[in-house]
Amino acid sequence: MIEHDVIIVGGGLAGTRAAVEIAKIDPRLSIAVVAKTHPIRSHSVAAQGGIAATLKNVDDADTWEAHAFDTVKGSDYLSDQDAVEILTREAPDVVIDLEHMGVLFSRLLDGRIAQRAFGGHSHKRTCYAADKTGHAILHELVANLRRYGVQIYDEWYVTRLILEEDEVKGVVMYHLLDGRVEVVRAKAVMFATGGYGRVYNTTSNDFASTGDGLAMTAIAGLPLEDMEFVQFHPTGLYPVGVLISEAVRGEGAYLINVEGDRSWPTMPPAKWS
Ligand SMILES: Cc1cc2nc3c(=O)[nH]c(=O)nc-3n(C[C@H](O)[C@H](O)[C@H](O)COP(=O)(O)OP(=O)(O)OC[C@H]3O[C@@H](n4cnc5c(N)ncnc54)[C@H](O)[C@@H]3O)c2cc1C
């Protein structure tokens, strides 16, 4: 039987970023990332447009409050506003941290990270790496997994959670290449298995976004939250689902409804409360 202190199922941006952070906090821990794809083939590699943070490299007037307002408004006021506050306050440090890890962001002429507008943004705050931001970040995170000694099990498919006395103790996985089955014990198990866009006929998600982590969790009797929130890109090509980057709206393209109406962005209030 294989044993680790921490097992993270999922080698996309969520799983790899979590693994790096845990390894930084306590280098003595034995940490493993398991992915049914190679980590750099995770859906995250397809993210194009960028990552929002109020670095103010292009737009001095931007604030985390404006970013928070845009995010809450963009969610039709359904988002968890405490979580939005953490996200938008911490985003600049997160981007700088990624840069220090080695992520090759696009640059302004003076060398600072470039920023552009995105649909729904009241200021130019999207940091990007040309049209392959997810690719740039994921490759660097996977390189950092090796740097911090995180064990990678790529092309291992997790099929089941092991529960003892209502506590998760590990997972069962099999190797896609040869069908070998292994039981892995761990003190902590984290699922970062991505979305389930593939249940829809038309989706911009990759073929691996089948929601098996969510299904496994539900079968184990654990609750799932906010399952109705699935992102659909308004500029996906029908019927194949290929994405026309959201950056097109930031650069001036209009999004209109079937009536030909365009919805106009509203500016954030002067003071966020
Ligand atoms: C075309 C497109 C463009 C996008 N552009 C942007 C953008 O510009 N900016 C932005 O912020 N977001 C963007 N997004 C959204 C973003 O890509 C996702 O929200 C993000 O990548 C999800 O990361 P994740 O780590 O949660 O999941 P994923 O990247 O999907 O990773 C899931 C991981 O879990 C593994 N896995 C799943 N099931 C199992 C199993 N049973 N056993 C073992 N491993 C398993 C997979 O192999 C994979 O490694 C975009 C999305 C799309 C579709």
Side-chain angles (χ1 to χ4, degrees):
M1 186 169 37
I2 302 170
E3 288 197 39
H4 290 285
D5 292 314
V6 182
I7 291 189
I8 298 168
V9 185
L13 287 174
T16 52
R17 185 66 188 84
V20 167
E21 196 61 30
I22 296 166
K24 274 204 246 177
I25 290 170
D26 191 344
R28 293 165 305 174
L29 292 176
S30 155
I31 306 163
V33 165
V34 185
K36 65 183 178 182
T37 55
H38 188 281
I40 58 170
R41 297 294 299 168
S42 301
H43 167 77
S44 295
V45 83
Q48 304 173 350
I51 176 170
T54 51
L55 292 180
K56 306 183 190 193
N57 288 353
V58 172
D59 189 342
D60 253 357
D62 200 6
T63 59
W64 74 263
E65 290 93 334
H67 185 185
F69 177 78
D70 293 345
T71 308
V72 171
K73 178 171 177 277
S75 74
D76 272 348
Y77 296 85
L78 294 172
S79 52
D80 174 340
Q81 297 191 13
D82 294 334
V84 170
E85 177 172 346
I86 292 170
L87 174 92
T88 52
R89 270 182 187 272
E90 295 187 0
D93 287 342
V94 169
V95 169
I96 297 300
D97 194 36
L98 288 171
E99 186 196 30
H100 290 175
M101 274 187 215
V103 176
L104 289 172
F105 285 107
S106 294
R107 301 277 158 182
L108 298 170
L109 285 177
D110 64 10
R112 290 176 303 153
I113 294 174
Q115 296 191 276
R116 62 184 171 200
F118 238 22
H121 284 179
S122 53
H123 297 271
K124 293 188 175 181
R125 66 168 76 96
T126 308
C127 312
Y128 56 96
D131 61 350
K132 34 184 154 327
T133 313
H135 184 279
I137 299 176
L138 190 59
H139 275 67
E140 217 49 66
L141 284 171
V142 173
N144 274 272
L145 290 185
R146 298 192 189 285
R147 175 178 163 205
Y148 287 105
V150 174
Q151 168 107 32
I152 304 172
Y153 295 92
D154 59 277
E155 302 197 341
W156 280 87
Y157 199 115
V158 172
T159 53
R160 199 155 72 80
L161 275 168
I162 300 169
L163 271 115
E164 283 171 14
E165 291 160 4
D166 282 345
E167 268 189 35
V168 178
K169 302 286 186 186
V171 296
V172 180
M173 63 185 193
Y174 79 91
H175 202 195
L176 292 175
L177 293 184
D178 57 17
R180 204 162 14 122
V181 176
E182 290 282 358
V183 171
V184 193
R185 274 190 78 89
K187 293 177 191 141
V189 176
M190 179 180 157
F191 266 37
T193 50
Y196 63 95
R198 277 286 148 190
V199 302
Y200 296 95
N201 201 24
T202 297
T203 174
S204 55
N205 288 187
D206 77 339
F207 284 94
S209 297
T210 46
D212 17 318
L214 299 164
M216 246 179 280
T217 311
I219 289 165
L222 300 169
L224 301 174
E225 194 178 0
D226 294 337
M227 293 302 291
E228 71 279 29
F229 291 106
V230 177
Q231 181 191 18
F232 286 91
H233 285 104
T235 48
L237 275 182
Y238 182 81
V240 286
V242 172
L243 176 67
I244 299 171
S245 174
E246 290 184 64
V248 295
R249 280 180 290 140
E251 295 300 328
Y254 295 160
L255 187 64
I256 53 173
N257 64 20
V258 280
E259 258 92 57
D261 290 336
R262 183 183 171 213
S263 58
W264 290 88
T266 40
M267 296 304 289
K271 192 162 180 289
W272 175 264
S273 57

Tab-separated table of all heavy atoms in Angstrom, residues 9-15 34-39 42-51 118 133 156-159 192-195 204-206 208-209 212-213 216 231 233 243 246, ligand 1:
chain	number	residue	atom	x	y	z
A	9	VAL	N	-6.132	14.994	-5.330
A	9	VAL	CA	-6.607	14.382	-6.575
A	9	VAL	C	-6.924	15.528	-7.527
A	9	VAL	O	-7.836	16.326	-7.268
A	9	VAL	CB	-7.855	13.499	-6.345
A	9	VAL	CG1	-8.253	12.790	-7.642
A	9	VAL	CG2	-7.601	12.484	-5.240
A	10	GLY	N	-6.169	15.624	-8.609
A	10	GLY	CA	-6.348	16.721	-9.562
A	10	GLY	C	-5.041	17.469	-9.748
A	10	GLY	O	-4.441	17.944	-8.775
A	11	GLY	N	-4.601	17.550	-11.011
A	11	GLY	CA	-3.327	18.208	-11.305
A	11	GLY	C	-3.502	19.476	-12.106
A	11	GLY	O	-2.595	19.923	-12.803
A	12	GLY	N	-4.691	20.097	-12.020
A	12	GLY	CA	-4.925	21.386	-12.690
A	12	GLY	C	-4.410	22.532	-11.826
A	12	GLY	O	-3.635	22.325	-10.882
A	13	LEU	N	-4.852	23.734	-12.138
A	13	LEU	CA	-4.356	24.900	-11.396
A	13	LEU	C	-4.693	24.808	-9.912
A	13	LEU	O	-3.870	25.161	-9.056
A	13	LEU	CB	-4.946	26.188	-11.987
A	13	LEU	CG	-4.369	26.612	-13.344
A	13	LEU	CD1	-5.130	27.808	-13.905
A	13	LEU	CD2	-2.887	26.949	-13.218
A	14	ALA	N	-5.895	24.313	-9.578
A	14	ALA	CA	-6.292	24.254	-8.163
A	14	ALA	C	-5.420	23.248	-7.407
A	14	ALA	O	-4.856	23.565	-6.346
A	14	ALA	CB	-7.771	23.878	-8.055
A	15	GLY	N	-5.279	22.045	-7.955
A	15	GLY	CA	-4.536	20.997	-7.260
A	15	GLY	C	-3.049	21.309	-7.140
A	15	GLY	O	-2.455	21.142	-6.067
A	34	VAL	N	-2.369	13.317	-7.741
A	34	VAL	CA	-2.803	12.231	-8.629
A	34	VAL	C	-3.670	12.844	-9.724
A	34	VAL	O	-4.570	13.633	-9.433
A	34	VAL	CB	-3.676	11.195	-7.871
A	34	VAL	CG1	-4.005	10.015	-8.775
A	34	VAL	CG2	-2.994	10.723	-6.604
A	35	ALA	N	-3.409	12.477	-10.969
A	35	ALA	CA	-4.240	13.010	-12.057
A	35	ALA	C	-4.470	11.954	-13.126
A	35	ALA	O	-3.549	11.205	-13.468
A	35	ALA	CB	-3.586	14.244	-12.668
A	36	LYS	N	-5.691	11.925	-13.636
A	36	LYS	CA	-6.000	10.917	-14.668
A	36	LYS	C	-5.395	11.307	-16.015
A	36	LYS	O	-5.240	10.462	-16.898
A	36	LYS	CB	-7.509	10.713	-14.780
A	36	LYS	CG	-8.290	11.908	-15.273
A	36	LYS	CD	-9.784	11.635	-15.284
A	36	LYS	CE	-10.563	12.853	-15.745
A	36	LYS	NZ	-12.010	12.643	-15.729
A	37	THR	N	-5.105	12.607	-16.165
A	37	THR	CA	-4.325	13.077	-17.312
A	37	THR	C	-2.909	13.340	-16.799
A	37	THR	O	-2.673	13.268	-15.604
A	37	THR	CB	-4.876	14.425	-17.804
A	37	THR	OG1	-4.882	15.328	-16.683
A	37	THR	CG2	-6.271	14.301	-18.359
A	38	HIS	N	-1.977	13.681	-17.673
A	38	HIS	CA	-0.756	14.289	-17.154
A	38	HIS	C	-1.174	15.666	-16.637
A	38	HIS	O	-2.044	16.309	-17.240
A	38	HIS	CB	0.298	14.429	-18.267
A	38	HIS	CG	1.628	14.862	-17.718
A	38	HIS	ND1	1.889	16.164	-17.386
A	38	HIS	CD2	2.727	14.145	-17.381
A	38	HIS	CE1	3.114	16.243	-16.875
A	38	HIS	NE2	3.635	15.034	-16.866
A	39	PRO	N	-0.598	16.148	-15.498
A	39	PRO	CA	-1.045	17.451	-14.977
A	39	PRO	C	-1.072	18.567	-16.027
A	39	PRO	O	-2.019	19.357	-16.064
A	39	PRO	CB	-0.035	17.745	-13.870
A	39	PRO	CG	0.399	16.412	-13.391
A	39	PRO	CD	0.357	15.500	-14.580
A	42	SER	N	-4.214	18.924	-18.001
A	42	SER	CA	-5.468	19.228	-17.304
A	42	SER	C	-6.203	20.316	-18.061
A	42	SER	O	-5.585	21.115	-18.783
A	42	SER	CB	-5.171	19.733	-15.886
A	42	SER	OG	-4.460	18.772	-15.166
A	43	HIS	N	-7.498	20.403	-17.845
A	43	HIS	CA	-8.271	21.413	-18.543
A	43	HIS	C	-7.684	22.817	-18.378
A	43	HIS	O	-7.741	23.657	-19.291
A	43	HIS	CB	-9.727	21.406	-18.079
A	43	HIS	CG	-10.420	22.611	-18.562
A	43	HIS	ND1	-10.831	22.722	-19.863
A	43	HIS	CD2	-10.649	23.797	-17.974
A	43	HIS	CE1	-11.310	23.935	-20.039
A	43	HIS	NE2	-11.215	24.597	-18.914
A	44	SER	N	-7.100	23.087	-17.191
A	44	SER	CA	-6.547	24.424	-16.892
A	44	SER	C	-5.602	24.939	-17.972
A	44	SER	O	-5.466	26.152	-18.149
A	44	SER	CB	-5.770	24.400	-15.570
A	44	SER	OG	-6.600	24.126	-14.482
A	45	VAL	N	-4.962	24.036	-18.688
A	45	VAL	CA	-3.993	24.460	-19.699
A	45	VAL	C	-4.677	25.240	-20.828
A	45	VAL	O	-4.035	25.978	-21.576
A	45	VAL	CB	-3.207	23.223	-20.233
A	45	VAL	CG1	-3.970	22.494	-21.325
A	45	VAL	CG2	-1.822	23.607	-20.696
A	46	ALA	N	-6.022	25.105	-20.917
A	46	ALA	CA	-6.765	25.775	-21.991
A	46	ALA	C	-7.168	27.198	-21.632
A	46	ALA	O	-7.634	27.938	-22.500
A	46	ALA	CB	-8.021	24.974	-22.331
A	47	ALA	N	-7.033	27.581	-20.362
A	47	ALA	CA	-7.427	28.948	-19.979
A	47	ALA	C	-6.583	29.940	-20.775
A	47	ALA	O	-5.373	29.794	-20.871
A	47	ALA	CB	-7.232	29.149	-18.476
A	48	GLN	N	-7.270	30.929	-21.359
A	48	GLN	CA	-6.551	31.790	-22.301
A	48	GLN	C	-6.337	33.199	-21.764
A	48	GLN	O	-5.225	33.682	-21.613
A	48	GLN	CB	-7.366	31.940	-23.593
A	48	GLN	CG	-7.737	30.672	-24.268
A	48	GLN	CD	-8.687	30.928	-25.442
A	48	GLN	OE1	-9.210	32.019	-25.632
A	48	GLN	NE2	-8.901	29.905	-26.244
A	49	GLY	N	-7.477	33.830	-21.474
A	49	GLY	CA	-7.522	35.289	-21.376
A	49	GLY	C	-6.729	35.912	-20.268
A	49	GLY	O	-6.091	36.957	-20.451
A	50	GLY	N	-6.720	35.332	-19.064
A	50	GLY	CA	-5.919	35.924	-18.014
A	50	GLY	C	-6.494	35.809	-16.624
A	50	GLY	O	-7.478	35.104	-16.390
A	51	ILE	N	-5.848	36.531	-15.713
A	51	ILE	CA	-6.151	36.452	-14.291
A	51	ILE	C	-6.241	37.882	-13.741
A	51	ILE	O	-5.339	38.690	-13.953
A	51	ILE	CB	-5.071	35.589	-13.588
A	51	ILE	CG1	-5.242	35.523	-12.079
A	51	ILE	CG2	-3.668	36.048	-13.902
A	51	ILE	CD1	-4.323	34.466	-11.437
A	118	PHE	N	-11.315	43.035	-19.459
A	118	PHE	CA	-12.048	41.795	-19.714
A	118	PHE	C	-13.530	42.133	-19.679
A	118	PHE	O	-13.917	43.143	-19.076
A	118	PHE	CB	-11.725	40.806	-18.588
A	118	PHE	CG	-11.137	39.507	-19.059
A	118	PHE	CD1	-10.502	39.403	-20.277
A	118	PHE	CD2	-11.204	38.380	-18.255
A	118	PHE	CE1	-9.961	38.198	-20.692
A	118	PHE	CE2	-10.659	37.178	-18.666
A	118	PHE	CZ	-10.038	37.088	-19.884
A	133	THR	N	-2.601	31.972	-20.929
A	133	THR	CA	-2.291	32.232	-19.521
A	133	THR	C	-2.304	30.935	-18.700
A	133	THR	O	-1.409	30.702	-17.877
A	133	THR	CB	-3.302	33.241	-18.944
A	133	THR	OG1	-3.426	34.333	-19.868
A	133	THR	CG2	-2.850	33.766	-17.601
A	156	TRP	N	-3.143	8.227	-13.511
A	156	TRP	CA	-3.742	7.349	-12.503
A	156	TRP	C	-5.157	7.842	-12.281
A	156	TRP	O	-5.370	9.033	-11.997
A	156	TRP	CB	-2.961	7.395	-11.184
A	156	TRP	CG	-1.724	6.558	-11.182
A	156	TRP	CD1	-0.483	6.949	-11.614
A	156	TRP	CD2	-1.593	5.203	-10.733
A	156	TRP	NE1	0.415	5.919	-11.456
A	156	TRP	CE2	-0.236	4.833	-10.915
A	156	TRP	CE3	-2.475	4.272	-10.198
A	156	TRP	CZ2	0.252	3.574	-10.586
A	156	TRP	CZ3	-1.991	3.021	-9.859
A	156	TRP	CH2	-0.634	2.670	-10.060
A	157	TYR	N	-6.107	6.955	-12.397
A	157	TYR	CA	-7.523	7.319	-12.318
A	157	TYR	C	-8.058	6.922	-10.940
A	157	TYR	O	-8.049	5.736	-10.583
A	157	TYR	CB	-8.280	6.557	-13.415
A	157	TYR	CG	-9.609	7.130	-13.766
A	157	TYR	CD1	-9.849	7.660	-15.029
A	157	TYR	CD2	-10.654	7.134	-12.855
A	157	TYR	CE1	-11.082	8.183	-15.362
A	157	TYR	CE2	-11.879	7.658	-13.165
A	157	TYR	CZ	-12.088	8.183	-14.425
A	157	TYR	OH	-13.306	8.702	-14.749
A	158	VAL	N	-8.469	7.898	-10.158
A	158	VAL	CA	-9.021	7.602	-8.834
A	158	VAL	C	-10.473	7.161	-9.015
A	158	VAL	O	-11.254	7.836	-9.694
A	158	VAL	CB	-8.920	8.828	-7.902
A	158	VAL	CG1	-9.664	8.584	-6.599
A	158	VAL	CG2	-7.459	9.153	-7.631
A	159	THR	N	-10.809	6.028	-8.420
A	159	THR	CA	-12.163	5.492	-8.619
A	159	THR	C	-13.011	5.587	-7.359
A	159	THR	O	-14.232	5.548	-7.421
A	159	THR	CB	-12.114	4.005	-9.031
A	159	THR	OG1	-11.328	3.301	-8.066
A	159	THR	CG2	-11.528	3.830	-10.410
A	192	ALA	N	-9.499	18.163	-6.208
A	192	ALA	CA	-9.455	19.351	-7.081
A	192	ALA	C	-9.652	18.830	-8.499
A	192	ALA	O	-8.812	19.026	-9.375
A	192	ALA	CB	-8.118	20.067	-6.913
A	193	THR	N	-10.775	18.144	-8.692
A	193	THR	CA	-10.971	17.353	-9.918
A	193	THR	C	-11.708	18.116	-11.028
A	193	THR	O	-12.134	17.506	-12.009
A	193	THR	CB	-11.723	16.043	-9.594
A	193	THR	OG1	-12.880	16.368	-8.823
A	193	THR	CG2	-10.855	15.085	-8.809
A	194	GLY	N	-11.843	19.426	-10.841
A	194	GLY	CA	-12.382	20.245	-11.932
A	194	GLY	C	-13.897	20.148	-12.078
A	194	GLY	O	-14.598	19.606	-11.223
A	195	GLY	N	-14.360	20.699	-13.170
A	195	GLY	CA	-15.804	20.829	-13.381
A	195	GLY	C	-16.415	19.651	-14.119
A	195	GLY	O	-15.772	18.627	-14.344
A	204	SER	N	-17.122	24.447	-23.591
A	204	SER	CA	-15.734	24.825	-23.895
A	204	SER	C	-14.760	24.005	-23.040
A	204	SER	O	-13.551	24.188	-23.128
A	204	SER	CB	-15.519	26.324	-23.655
A	204	SER	OG	-15.889	26.663	-22.330
A	205	ASN	N	-15.301	23.102	-22.219
A	205	ASN	CA	-14.433	22.286	-21.350
A	205	ASN	C	-13.796	21.130	-22.118
A	205	ASN	O	-14.341	20.656	-23.117
A	205	ASN	CB	-15.245	21.695	-20.197
A	205	ASN	CG	-15.633	22.740	-19.164
A	205	ASN	OD1	-16.174	22.384	-18.132
A	205	ASN	ND2	-15.374	24.009	-19.433
A	206	ASP	N	-12.674	20.647	-21.581
A	206	ASP	CA	-11.983	19.541	-22.256
A	206	ASP	C	-12.716	18.213	-22.011
A	206	ASP	O	-13.656	18.148	-21.216
A	206	ASP	CB	-10.518	19.455	-21.805
A	206	ASP	CG	-10.358	18.827	-20.434
A	206	ASP	OD1	-11.337	18.811	-19.652
A	206	ASP	OD2	-9.252	18.356	-20.140
A	208	ALA	N	-11.872	15.691	-20.432
A	208	ALA	CA	-11.689	15.076	-19.108
A	208	ALA	C	-12.600	15.717	-18.051
A	208	ALA	O	-12.662	15.238	-16.923
A	208	ALA	CB	-10.229	15.190	-18.687
A	209	SER	N	-13.313	16.789	-18.414
A	209	SER	CA	-14.146	17.484	-17.421
A	209	SER	C	-15.489	16.765	-17.264
A	209	SER	O	-16.547	17.251	-17.655
A	209	SER	CB	-14.378	18.948	-17.847
A	209	SER	OG	-13.166	19.633	-17.899
A	212	ASP	N	-16.077	13.316	-12.414
A	212	ASP	CA	-16.016	12.060	-11.642
A	212	ASP	C	-15.673	12.306	-10.172
A	212	ASP	O	-16.134	11.573	-9.301
A	212	ASP	CB	-15.096	10.999	-12.249
A	212	ASP	CG	-14.126	11.523	-13.258
A	212	ASP	OD1	-14.525	12.349	-14.085
A	212	ASP	OD2	-12.969	11.096	-13.212
A	213	GLY	N	-14.886	13.340	-9.888
A	213	GLY	CA	-14.568	13.629	-8.477
A	213	GLY	C	-15.828	13.982	-7.704
A	213	GLY	O	-16.028	13.540	-6.563
A	216	MET	N	-17.884	10.780	-7.244
A	216	MET	CA	-17.291	9.925	-6.202
A	216	MET	C	-17.617	10.441	-4.801
A	216	MET	O	-17.904	9.682	-3.884
A	216	MET	CB	-15.770	9.956	-6.359
A	216	MET	CG	-15.140	8.687	-6.755
A	216	MET	SD	-13.371	8.986	-6.894
A	216	MET	CE	-13.228	9.755	-8.483
A	231	GLN	N	-19.944	27.446	-15.518
A	231	GLN	CA	-19.619	28.582	-16.375
A	231	GLN	C	-19.851	28.251	-17.847
A	231	GLN	O	-19.358	27.232	-18.340
A	231	GLN	CB	-18.144	28.979	-16.203
A	231	GLN	CG	-17.756	30.176	-17.048
A	231	GLN	CD	-16.236	30.408	-17.092
A	231	GLN	OE1	-15.455	29.525	-16.787
A	231	GLN	NE2	-15.849	31.601	-17.486
A	233	HIS	N	-19.199	30.133	-21.432
A	233	HIS	CA	-18.617	31.326	-22.043
A	233	HIS	C	-19.627	31.940	-23.008
A	233	HIS	O	-20.119	31.248	-23.895
A	233	HIS	CB	-17.348	30.972	-22.813
A	233	HIS	CG	-16.187	30.696	-21.923
A	233	HIS	ND1	-15.733	29.427	-21.663
A	233	HIS	CD2	-15.390	31.528	-21.226
A	233	HIS	CE1	-14.693	29.488	-20.841
A	233	HIS	NE2	-14.471	30.750	-20.559
A	243	LEU	N	-13.711	28.296	-27.667
A	243	LEU	CA	-13.864	29.640	-27.100
A	243	LEU	C	-13.237	30.717	-27.983
A	243	LEU	O	-12.110	30.584	-28.427
A	243	LEU	CB	-13.189	29.675	-25.724
A	243	LEU	CG	-13.182	31.038	-25.027
A	243	LEU	CD1	-14.588	31.449	-24.642
A	243	LEU	CD2	-12.278	31.017	-23.811
A	246	GLU	N	-12.492	35.733	-24.122
A	246	GLU	CA	-13.272	36.806	-23.505
A	246	GLU	C	-12.601	38.159	-23.701
A	246	GLU	O	-13.223	39.201	-23.543
A	246	GLU	CB	-13.425	36.531	-22.021
A	246	GLU	CG	-14.341	35.363	-21.744
A	246	GLU	CD	-14.539	35.191	-20.249
A	246	GLU	OE1	-15.108	36.096	-19.628
A	246	GLU	OE2	-14.116	34.169	-19.734
B	1	LIG	C1	-11.677	27.573	-22.905
B	1	LIG	C2	-11.571	28.073	-21.488
B	1	LIG	C3	-10.869	29.236	-21.208
B	1	LIG	C4	-10.755	29.702	-19.911
B	1	LIG	N1	-10.082	30.861	-19.668
B	1	LIG	C5	-9.950	31.299	-18.395
B	1	LIG	C6	-9.239	32.498	-18.118
B	1	LIG	O1	-8.740	33.167	-19.012
B	1	LIG	N2	-9.104	32.876	-16.826
B	1	LIG	C7	-9.642	32.146	-15.795
B	1	LIG	O2	-9.481	32.544	-14.614
B	1	LIG	N3	-10.328	30.995	-16.028
B	1	LIG	C8	-10.491	30.570	-17.295
B	1	LIG	N4	-11.202	29.421	-17.532
B	1	LIG	C9	-11.674	28.640	-16.387
B	1	LIG	C10	-10.499	27.820	-15.812
B	1	LIG	O3	-9.778	27.216	-16.856
B	1	LIG	C11	-10.990	26.736	-14.839
B	1	LIG	O4	-11.847	27.284	-13.877
B	1	LIG	C12	-9.801	26.096	-14.121
B	1	LIG	O5	-8.798	25.710	-15.042
B	1	LIG	C13	-10.229	24.899	-13.315
B	1	LIG	O6	-9.068	24.371	-12.700
B	1	LIG	P1	-9.155	23.079	-11.803
B	1	LIG	O7	-7.784	22.808	-11.282
B	1	LIG	O8	-10.263	23.227	-10.824
B	1	LIG	O9	-9.643	21.904	-12.802
B	1	LIG	P2	-8.935	21.183	-14.066
B	1	LIG	O10	-7.901	22.000	-14.710
B	1	LIG	O11	-10.063	20.656	-14.887
B	1	LIG	O12	-8.170	19.959	-13.393
B	1	LIG	C14	-8.856	18.811	-12.943
B	1	LIG	C15	-7.798	17.756	-12.639
B	1	LIG	O13	-8.433	16.650	-12.011
B	1	LIG	C16	-7.986	15.447	-12.617
B	1	LIG	N5	-9.034	14.438	-12.402
B	1	LIG	C17	-10.377	14.553	-12.620
B	1	LIG	N6	-11.014	13.413	-12.265
B	1	LIG	C18	-10.035	12.567	-11.823
B	1	LIG	C19	-10.038	11.238	-11.334
B	1	LIG	N7	-11.164	10.521	-11.232
B	1	LIG	N8	-8.849	10.661	-10.982
B	1	LIG	C20	-7.689	11.350	-11.084
B	1	LIG	N9	-7.632	12.617	-11.541
B	1	LIG	C21	-8.785	13.209	-11.899
B	1	LIG	C22	-7.733	15.828	-14.084
B	1	LIG	O14	-6.853	14.900	-14.704
B	1	LIG	C23	-7.093	17.196	-13.880
B	1	LIG	O15	-5.704	17.036	-13.589
B	1	LIG	C24	-11.355	28.976	-18.840
B	1	LIG	C25	-12.060	27.804	-19.111
B	1	LIG	C26	-12.200	27.378	-20.428
B	1	LIG	C27	-13.050	26.165	-20.678
